[in-house]
Amino acid sequence: MRVNHLNNNLIKIDKSEVLRYLAYKNKDIDEETDILLNESIAELKEISELKYVYRIFDITENNNNISFENQINIKSKDLTEILKNCKKSAVMAATLGFEAEKRIKYYSMTNLSKAVIFDACAASCIEYLCDLAEAEIKELAVKDGCNITFRYSPGYGDVPISHQDDILTALNAQKLIGLSVTDSSILVPRKSVTAFIGFSTGNEINKINKKSCLNCNLFGNCNFSGEGENNCVR
């Protein structure tokens, strides 16, 4: 089990990425929006509590049933395909903490424009935090002579979000990073992510292991569908 609490100075929020989340699509932004964006980035850097935890599991598969040392058990064709060359998988959880969520709720009542922009900044920030965790996991995989798959979260494809509770329990995430889940399987705080990253022993990463709109459960009902594989905001 590995836990990391990061210094907020490490946060990198790409303004162009945030604008893409806001569906600006290469359009110039007005001065007011630019001011709100800069304010939101500065606030987020000040209040976020960057935390992630992950654990490397031995995995077994039988008839599309994947067992993570019998602590997480998932029946999924998609995840089976992704992990087909894997004997191990990292399971990770990351969060920005409660203060970011409180700030979004506050602005939703006092300044709706800023709430939308702040939410987009937080989405970019949690993605960046997950990238940091993934880079650390990749280092371990390379030392083990493996490639990694891309991270795949409950809610993608045929992996239901109902597995969130098992994931957090296996990671002791509530104690270690303050992350819990509601009865309806929503992560709390909401700006949080759980994901699987396989340690692949194959010479080539499976086609499905490349991020693609076709692999997403939101395909066909998303503003970014059809814009290319690197435009996904999941």
Side-chain angles (χ1 to χ4, degrees):
M1 191 90 69
R2 302 197 181 208
V3 184
N4 205 334
H5 295 202
L6 277 71
N7 189 303
N8 285 21
N9 292 330
L10 293 176
I11 295 178
K12 293 181 181 179
I13 300 175
D14 187 341
K15 287 177 67 172
S16 62
E17 184 79 355
V18 175
L19 291 172
R20 186 173 61 82
Y21 286 13
L22 294 169
Y24 266 80
K25 301 180 181 179
N26 299 320
K27 296 179 182 178
D28 293 332
I29 61 172
D30 58 83
E31 183 179 357
E32 182 181 357
T33 299
D34 192 45
I35 291 172
L36 291 176
L37 179 54
N38 290 327
E39 287 179 353
S40 296
I41 290 173
E43 287 181 44
L44 197 57
K45 286 184 176 182
E46 180 181 350
I47 67 174
S48 292
E49 303 168 63
L50 307 179
K51 302 175 185 178
Y52 62 78
V53 58
Y54 64 86
R55 178 179 170 186
I56 312 302
F57 289 86
D58 293 325
I59 58 174
T60 56
E61 184 274 330
N62 181 34
N63 194 28
N64 293 329
N65 290 283
I66 306 168
S67 176
F68 297 76
E69 298 180 17
N70 211 33
Q71 295 190 46
I72 307 167
N73 296 285
I74 299 175
K75 185 174 180 64
S76 165
K77 290 183 180 180
D78 292 344
L79 198 55
T80 296
E81 177 64 18
I82 289 170
L83 299 177
K84 70 180 182 181
N85 291 322
C86 305
K87 298 298 182 183
K88 295 181 180 180
S89 175
V91 181
M92 60 165 282
T95 184
L96 300 186
F98 281 101
E99 290 305 317
E101 182 170 332
K102 289 178 182 177
R103 197 64 58 94
I104 293 170
K105 289 181 179 179
Y106 171 76
Y107 286 130
S108 69
M109 294 183 291
T110 61
N111 187 336
L112 189 55
S113 295
K114 189 165 184 178
V116 172
I117 291 171
F118 198 95
D119 187 84
C121 290
S124 178
C125 188
I126 187 63
E127 187 74 7
Y128 179 73
L129 180 59
C130 288
D131 287 343
L132 292 179
E134 182 177 314
E136 189 174 315
I137 290 167
K138 184 176 181 179
E139 288 183 5
L140 296 177
V142 170
K143 289 179 182 178
D144 208 19
C146 298
N147 298 312
I148 62 168
T149 67
F150 81 92
R151 58 182 182 264
Y152 199 83
S153 296
Y156 291 11
D158 65 352
V159 179
I161 62 171
S162 57
H163 290 289
Q164 298 284 33
D165 189 40
D166 290 340
I167 292 170
L168 298 191
T169 298
L171 295 177
N172 197 17
Q174 183 163 11
K175 178 179 179 180
L176 294 176
I177 62 172
L179 182 56
S180 59
V181 64
T182 68
D183 291 340
S184 55
S185 301
I186 303 300
L187 294 174
V188 179
R190 293 178 68 92
K191 290 305 179 189
S192 305
V193 170
T194 63
F196 307 98
I197 301 175
F199 283 30
S200 175
T201 57
N203 291 326
E204 295 181 358
I205 298 296
N206 304 330
K207 264 189 175 182
I208 197 171
N209 292 4
K210 186 177 181 181
K211 282 189 178 180
S212 168
C213 291
L214 295 175
N215 299 328
C216 181
N217 61 319
L218 296 178
F219 180 67
N221 188 30
C222 170
N223 291 334
F224 296 93
S225 294
E227 293 189 10
E229 292 170 347
N230 294 324
N231 287 320
C232 184
V233 298
R234 295 175 297 178

